[in-house]
Amino acid sequence: MSPPNVLLIVLDSVRARNTSLHGYHRETTPVLDRFAEGATWYTQARAPGVHSITSHVSLFTGYAVAQHQATDHGVSLESGHTIWETLAEQYGYETGLFTPNSIVCESSNLADFFDYSVGPKRRIEAFPEAISPQDISGDPSYVEYVAECLRDDRPLRSIWNGLARLTESGSLAHAPSKEHGGIYADELLEWVDDRTGPWAACLNLMDAHYPYVPADEYDRWGGRKLRAIRDDVPDGPLVNAGFFEDRPWWQLAVLETMYDGCIRQADAHVGELLTGLRERGAFDDTLVVVTADHGEGFGEPSVVSPSARLVDHNWGIDDVITHVPLVVKQPNQRKGETITDPVSLAAFPSVVERTLEGESVPSFVSDEPVLTTCYRLEKPDESLSIPRAEQEPYLGPWHARYRPVEHGVETDVHHRGTEMTVHSPDPRSSYKRSRDPPGDSIESTIDALERVNVVAGERDLSDDVETRLEELGYR
């Protein structure tokens, strides 16, 4: 019997509490809800980190963030540590990556560990053979750019590229017509059609990522008036959009309605992909893992540090950012199962290898501690638009360790030398709970982890990629 295919679907920025799978009052994930009926649903999955780079490195390598400490968006990993390389070199798989996520496919070298990759499509030039603004170092003025174009062999085409960039202001962060999940799902299916042996693929969908712009057909809870409020929020990182100064916080909460439509959109594209696999007779033969790399904050006060507001996914350790959906279908699985123990996405490589070794239903449940770590803002930083003297509640590192209890999950949290316990009885509720300290501190758990040397260095990023990261809220 031929080995099963492997498909990892990452719904970027989708938090568990806003999915109908987890009881949300809006039907945001009808496809995932139905998919879970014949798969294994982990109700208490936790992201290893709160940023794309940290969580994806953990997903790909199996290491906790505190072990690999690959936290920079331009990180370069050493070869030989990812499950994709293992599948290709030891099991003969062809591997593919499909994503508009600049961090996964451009700024870091994670795409290098796949045989084939499809990356961002935003701002593809009409005349790629001519000059474009990103080809000129620095920040040239219009006059300087035109002068450079006139020296080129294709002056008119170069000028056209510049004009296209000028009229596309703000679209580095999001290009709905070019980069919705359906585009990448279709490309993955086309790639599958050309495979003759076992394949393994990662599909990262950015539909629910900031700036939360769903297509009209999925904008069920937004509408014209709420879109007008969304359009009033300045382009660029949400942390610099004025919410910490004079912009009312309720406007950020309004964006959650747009976000819900984006989740519905991503969910629909997952459905298109799964339908495509069924039509090709590949669904039953594929290990399918659907999850998210982290959640999202819409101005909620942090349970751990109540004076800090959770915005986007920049800092903190609260469930709105760490609790993510996780549904896993083993090859030929028909019967649904629900697992309530806390699990980490870092178990993904182990689950894949145990599936290939013939284990009937390998689980994400592990004897290893379930951990989330955030090193963001370890010292006052200008990226947060509040006075440096007031940034203490936002500073990391943040560490969390999750334990099952009779009703929900308890989280031991370490933040800036303080340890506490947070009780989460359901996906929408969390509160601090006084109790005797655990047998060992979180700090001791982190210190006991074996550090792994997977980081080779940091890559030099082009001005274009730097701008994309900034407009996505990462710089």
Side-chain angles (χ1 to χ4, degrees), residues 21-99:
L21 177 70
H22 285 264
Y24 191 47
H25 66 282
R26 292 171 175 160
E27 192 183 36
T28 53
T29 54
V31 170
L32 200 55
D33 300 351
R34 292 192 298 272
F35 177 61
E37 294 174 0
T40 304
W41 172 33
Y42 295 87
T43 66
Q44 295 292 348
R46 293 304 189 276
V50 304
H51 308 109
S52 285
I53 188 62
T54 54
S55 276
H56 276 85
V57 172
S58 290
L59 268 166
F60 290 2
T61 67
Y63 297 124
V65 174
Q67 290 180 283
H68 63 67
Q69 296 198 11
T71 60
D72 188 88
H73 303 310
V75 72
S76 180
L77 297 188
E78 298 276 7
S79 61
H81 295 282
T82 72
I83 184 61
W84 313 108
E85 294 165 281
T86 299
L87 289 170
E89 296 167 7
Q90 297 185 21
Y91 296 94
Y93 278 68
E94 293 184 78
T95 60
L97 171 66
F98 304 81
T99 179

Side-chain angles (χ1 to χ4, degrees), residues 16-17 22-23 43-44 46 319-320 323 405 407-410 422-431:
R17 72 163 58 187
H22 285 264
T43 66
Q44 295 292 348
R46 293 304 189 276
D319 276 359
V320 296
H323 188 192
V405 291
H407 299 290
V409 168
E410 283 196 345
V422 174
H423 181 63
S424 302
D426 58 67
R428 304 199 64 79
S429 305
S430 295
Y431 56 86

Side-chain angles (χ1 to χ4, degrees), residues 125-132 145 149 152-164:
E125 312 302 346
F127 303 106
E129 74 280 4
I131 288 177
S132 295
Y145 177 72
C149 291
D152 188 63
D153 294 337
R154 304 173 181 82
L156 294 180
R157 294 185 177 189
S158 298
I159 291 173
W160 181 273
N161 282 342
L163 289 172

Side-chain angles (χ1 to χ4, degrees), residues 14-323:
V14 172
R15 63 188 195 180
R17 72 163 58 187
N18 283 60
T19 66
S20 48
L21 177 70
H22 285 264
Y24 191 47
H25 66 282
R26 292 171 175 160
E27 192 183 36
T28 53
T29 54
V31 170
L32 200 55
D33 300 351
R34 292 192 298 272
F35 177 61
E37 294 174 0
T40 304
W41 172 33
Y42 295 87
T43 66
Q44 295 292 348
R46 293 304 189 276
V50 304
H51 308 109
S52 285
I53 188 62
T54 54
S55 276
H56 276 85
V57 172
S58 290
L59 268 166
F60 290 2
T61 67
Y63 297 124
V65 174
Q67 290 180 283
H68 63 67
Q69 296 198 11
T71 60
D72 188 88
H73 303 310
V75 72
S76 180
L77 297 188
E78 298 276 7
S79 61
H81 295 282
T82 72
I83 184 61
W84 313 108
E85 294 165 281
T86 299
L87 289 170
E89 296 167 7
Q90 297 185 21
Y91 296 94
Y93 278 68
E94 293 184 78
T95 60
L97 171 66
F98 304 81
T99 179
N101 189 320
S102 291
I103 288 175
V104 176
C105 208
E106 288 185 317
S107 66
S108 73
N109 74 330
L110 295 184
D112 294 349
F113 304 115
F114 294 83
D115 299 322
Y116 178 79
S117 65
V118 175
K121 301 176 185 298
R122 63 187 75 92
R123 288 196 171 177
I124 294 177
E125 312 302 346
F127 303 106
E129 74 280 4
I131 288 177
S132 295
Q134 81 271 15
D135 296 325
I136 302 175
S137 60
D139 187 17
S141 67
Y142 299 134
V143 173
E144 291 170 332
Y145 177 72
V146 170
E148 191 69 28
C149 291
L150 293 176
R151 287 191 287 269
D152 188 63
D153 294 337
R154 304 173 181 82
L156 294 180
R157 294 185 177 189
S158 298
I159 291 173
W160 181 273
N161 282 342
L163 289 172
R165 288 294 181 103
L166 182 64
T167 58
E168 234 180 6
S169 177
S171 65
L172 276 177
H174 190 68
S177 64
K178 296 179 181 177
E179 296 194 310
H180 63 74
I183 299 288
Y184 291 87
D186 286 345
E187 295 213 30
L188 193 156
L189 289 172
E190 291 174 5
W191 178 78
V192 166
D193 288 339
D194 292 334
R195 309 278 69 79
T196 57
W199 53 265
C202 174
L203 173 69
N204 172 292
L205 301 182
M206 293 280 281
D207 300 69
H209 194 284
Y210 173 77
Y212 322 128
V213 184
D216 290 343
E217 62 190 293
Y218 303 109
D219 189 17
R220 294 191 169 195
W221 307 284
R224 181 175 56 82
K225 291 184 178 180
L226 296 189
R227 275 183 178 261
I229 294 173
R230 161 65 192 89
D231 293 341
D232 184 54
V233 176
D235 290 324
L238 276 175
V239 294
N240 294 326
F243 295 106
F244 291 100
E245 292 93 13
D246 54 2
R247 183 175 292 276
W249 283 101
W250 65 262
Q251 289 190 354
L252 183 55
V254 162
L255 298 189
E256 188 178 349
T257 62
M258 315 294 290
Y259 171 73
D260 288 343
C262 292
I263 295 176
R264 175 98 183 191
Q265 176 173 313
D267 180 76
H269 294 316
V270 170
E272 294 165 9
L273 175 59
L274 298 181
T275 296
L277 292 178
R278 290 187 178 96
E279 292 172 348
R280 288 160 173 78
F283 180 78
D284 287 342
D285 300 330
T286 301
L287 167 65
V288 181
V289 177
V290 184
T291 187
D293 55 346
H294 52 72
E296 199 81 336
F298 289 93
E300 299 92 345
S302 167
V303 175
V304 176
S305 299
S307 58
R309 294 271 197 162
L310 301 170
V311 178
D312 204 347
H313 44 275
N314 284 281
W315 50 74
I317 212 75
D318 291 55
D319 276 359
V320 296
I321 300 176
T322 65
H323 188 192

Side-chain angles (χ1 to χ4, degrees), residues 383-441:
S383 65
L384 179 57
S385 59
I386 60 177
R388 287 174 177 251
E390 300 175 13
Q391 292 186 14
E392 176 66 24
Y394 294 88
L395 303 182
W398 312 66
H399 298 290
R401 179 182 59 200
Y402 305 91
R403 297 174 291 103
V405 291
E406 185 175 356
H407 299 290
V409 168
E410 283 196 345
T411 309
D412 301 318
V413 180
H414 178 94
H415 179 227
R416 307 289 287 177
T418 300
E419 296 207 356
M420 66 192 74
T421 297
V422 174
H423 181 63
S424 302
D426 58 67
R428 304 199 64 79
S429 305
S430 295
Y431 56 86
K432 291 182 183 178
R433 177 175 179 178
S434 299
R435 67 175 186 85
D436 294 333
D440 58 335
S441 68

